[in-house]
Amino acid sequence: MSDPIIKIQNMNKWFGDFQVLKNINLEVEANKKIVVCGPSGSGKSTLIRCINRLEEHQEGDIIVDGNELSEKTKDIEKIRAEVGMVFQQFNLFPHLSILDNCTLAPIWVKKMPKKEAQELALDQLKKVQIDDQANKFPGQLSGGQQQRCAIARALCMQPKIMLFDEPTSALDPEMIKEVLDAMVSLAKGGMTMIVVTHEMGFAKEVADEVIFMDEGMIIEKADTKEFFANPKSDRTKLFLSQIL
Amino acid sequence: MQTFNFLKPNRDNIKNYSIIGSLLVLVSLIDVISNAFLQINLTFFLPGSLTNLFPLILGLIGLNMMRIDYSGNKTLDLLNKNINTNNFNALLTLLILFSIIKVLPQSLSWMILDATISGDSKDACTGTGACWTYIKVWFRRFMYGMYPNEFHWRINTAFILVIALGFVGYFMKENLKKYLALYYVIIYPVIAYLVIYYLISGGSFGLQWVETGAWGGLSLTFIVSFFCLIFCFPLGMIFALGRRSNLPAIKYISICYIEFWRGVPLITVLFMSSVMFPMFLPEDFFMDKLVRVIIAITLFEAAYCAEVIRGGLQSLPRGQYDAAKSLGMGYWKMHIFVILPQALKLVIPGIANTFLALVKDTPLIFVVGLAELAGMLALAKTNPKWLGFAMEGYIFASIIFWIICYAMSKYSYNLESKYKTER
């Protein structure tokens, strides 16, 4: 078995007095797809935001691709460049065109020549089927198109890991499918993915493992089939009965 | 049930009613106009007080006859929606119209018809109107201050050069565009300073030295505003970012700076810069008064700019920071490419506000002996040969300031619509 690409050990995190994450232990191997689910406020988003240090943890270790994340980490930008992230609210840059949204980071962070970056961006936009919108601004696109653009933007950095923070929660039911399709094809391409989502259909289709969280703790972690067919804890059973 | 609807139009008779109504309004206006301009009282046959009220009553009846919710006629609907919504608004409309008409003849005759512009001494002004001769004779002083007449071309050339250099950005080649900000923030001010120093101050290249004490008038207004504007903006940006910094030292220095400069009046800052400041300097160190004043105003306005820009930074959603960070951008890249372009776009109205206030604050430098446009005015009106023309001078100055400020605010509207993208 290869070394895990993400390793979290005994991690605790507080917001003020409130402990959001309690004793998290998690290992993710390369090319695996993990789905994180659980009720709102259970700390799922905070957990994956810790993985690229958008949130700081107070105790324990997080090791991403051999680099430990802590206050001493000098090149946090370098690690973040390897970890793509897609947000619930898309967070596209509204003052830039779709194409510029995708080429900004490759040009200025990875120092890629402009032409090469544009070709790469168009290629990625084509994969999520919005290459014909490349010169529009984010405000002119539908929610689903914006989210697919956000996926393409993250992929333009050619990351090793992709984090998805409830990518479909802000979308109309019709648009959820087009975003999930893009994620499924990405998963089939072999990307390492951690996805926070309530789309259990997606979890069944692509996930290798499912993690169920509640009140800041990992309650259950199991292979996908096992998780849905045979949940162990009562809390998981209750959650599944409500969501399925 | 048929209600009494005399003077109330409906969709069927609105055409006739509106014609009669507008005729009545027209008659009332003609009455007021003939009264104001020709001193003819068309309603002499009415008793005294009624004569004055007559046009008002006539106009009100007229407007009342034209009032309808929706007629389909564009002009009429526009009129009804905006100035004729009810009797009270109709009354206000008429009163405002009438007072403008009443005031117009006097001001027209004072400013234009009875005014004098010929001659070149006070004796030419014998009429009852304004004495524009005063402005004409003093015009060069108002524009250039005490700067020697034969050297005025130097100021003109310097200004034309500086303006031309300002347009360089438009003609820059595509591959140089990324240096645009650098050019405007650092290179352009330095070049402008050198141009103004060597051309207006002189002292080398065979140009005679003219000390800054002789500078004045509108050209000084421009010089002071220009340098303060281009320096206070980047400085304000730095302090705005500094105040939001995570590093305590930078954060508290910025807070102290902003709160200090916002807490003192500009006039004391100017006094300090010209009277107190030189006392703390080493004896052999000399800094021109004008430079000190420009630095003082810049530091002062930078604090205001900083707070305006901070408002813009705060209005951006946190997601924009998250997205930029997650793409691997560091602090500076994130701010230069993602945060500042959006924040600055949002604060264009606020920045325009600050800049306009700055331009209109420049007359305060008169307290330290620098006579820009308003200062020259104050000097000229106390000149014994030209006593009694303060009014003309201040009207002239307000017109000039209004033109400058209106141009600036128009430009800021243009910028706003130019950089408007939908969120």
Side-chain angles (χ1 to χ4, degrees), chain B residues 253-271:
Chain B
I253 289 173
S254 305
I255 291 179
C256 287
Y257 177 90
I258 290 169
E259 294 307 335
F260 172 77
W261 289 101
R262 285 206 308 177
V264 288
L266 180 56
I267 207 155
T268 55
V269 174
L270 290 173
F271 263 123

Side-chain angles (χ1 to χ4, degrees), chain A residues 49-119:
Chain A
R49 286 169 66 87
C50 282
I51 293 173
N52 66 356
R53 211 169 161 74
L54 287 180
E55 300 284 356
E56 294 171 12
H57 60 286
Q58 278 87 26
E59 275 177 14
D61 304 321
I62 301 179
I63 297 163
V64 176
D65 197 21
N67 302 295
E68 189 180 340
L69 302 187
S70 69
E71 278 156 33
K72 289 174 208 142
T73 316
K74 278 269 163 21
D75 289 342
I76 185 68
E77 283 87 33
K78 253 186 197 158
I79 300 166
R80 280 178 184 153
E82 310 242 296
V83 183
M85 183 150 182
V86 176
F87 300 88
Q88 183 177 358
Q89 299 295 341
F90 329 137
N91 294 346
L92 294 178
F93 306 135
H95 62 300
L96 297 175
S97 71
I98 297 301
L99 187 64
D100 289 340
N101 260 284
C102 294
T103 57
L104 183 69
I107 290 175
W108 293 99
V109 177
K110 288 189 114 181
K111 312 279 179 217
M112 200 183 269
K114 195 174 176 186
K115 220 169 181 179
E116 202 181 311
Q118 282 179 343
E119 277 165 20

Side-chain angles (χ1 to χ4, degrees), chain A residues 12 26 41 67 100 106 121 131 135 158 165 171 183-184 236 242:
Chain A
N12 289 300
L26 180 65
N67 302 295
D100 289 340
D131 50 325
N135 291 319
Q158 294 162 319
D165 186 3
L171 294 175
M183 288 166 63
V184 168
T236 316
Q242 280 166 349

Side-chain angles (χ1 to χ4, degrees), chain B residues 95-273:
Chain B
L95 281 178
I96 291 168
L97 265 180
F98 291 169
S99 24
I100 291 173
I101 293 170
K102 289 258 187 203
V103 174
L104 216 55
Q106 279 100 320
S107 39
L108 267 183
S109 65
W110 186 82
M111 279 182 70
I112 296 165
L113 297 176
D114 295 342
T116 327
I117 195 159
S118 58
D120 45 16
S121 74
K122 190 183 174 180
D123 305 332
C125 296
T126 49
T128 50
C131 180
W132 299 125
T133 316
Y134 166 71
I135 304 292
K136 192 181 75 178
V137 172
W138 283 84
F139 187 75
R140 283 191 159 228
R141 294 277 85 81
F142 289 155
M143 292 296 119
Y144 304 105
M146 295 306 180
Y147 205 86
N149 277 354
E150 63 270 29
F151 298 142
H152 285 171
W153 64 269
R154 278 160 56 176
I155 296 186
N156 295 339
T157 333
F159 279 1
I160 290 167
L161 265 175
V162 168
I163 292 170
L165 281 166
F167 280 105
V168 163
Y170 278 110
F171 304 109
M172 252 188 198
K173 282 195 188 131
E174 195 59 40
N175 53 349
L176 288 175
K177 280 258 164 113
K178 55 183 162 187
Y179 300 115
L180 213 59
L182 184 76
Y183 173 75
Y184 278 113
V185 174
I186 297 166
I187 302 173
Y188 179 54
V190 171
I191 297 179
Y193 175 79
L194 292 178
V195 166
I196 285 176
Y197 180 80
Y198 281 112
L199 261 171
I200 303 187
S201 265
S204 50
F205 301 120
L207 296 175
Q208 197 187 322
W209 174 262
V210 182
E211 58 162 3
T212 52
W215 302 14
L218 188 63
S219 54
L220 186 63
T221 309
F222 279 139
I223 291 170
V224 172
S225 317
F226 173 78
F227 282 114
C228 292
L229 292 187
I230 51 176
F231 288 128
C232 83
F233 184 64
L235 200 61
M237 212 148 77
I238 289 168
F239 282 110
L241 292 176
R243 194 166 182 172
R244 287 167 58 81
S245 170
N246 290 328
L247 307 170
I250 292 178
K251 183 176 174 179
Y252 288 109
I253 289 173
S254 305
I255 291 179
C256 287
Y257 177 90
I258 290 169
E259 294 307 335
F260 172 77
W261 289 101
R262 285 206 308 177
V264 288
L266 180 56
I267 207 155
T268 55
V269 174
L270 290 173
F271 263 123
M272 295 275 269
S273 75

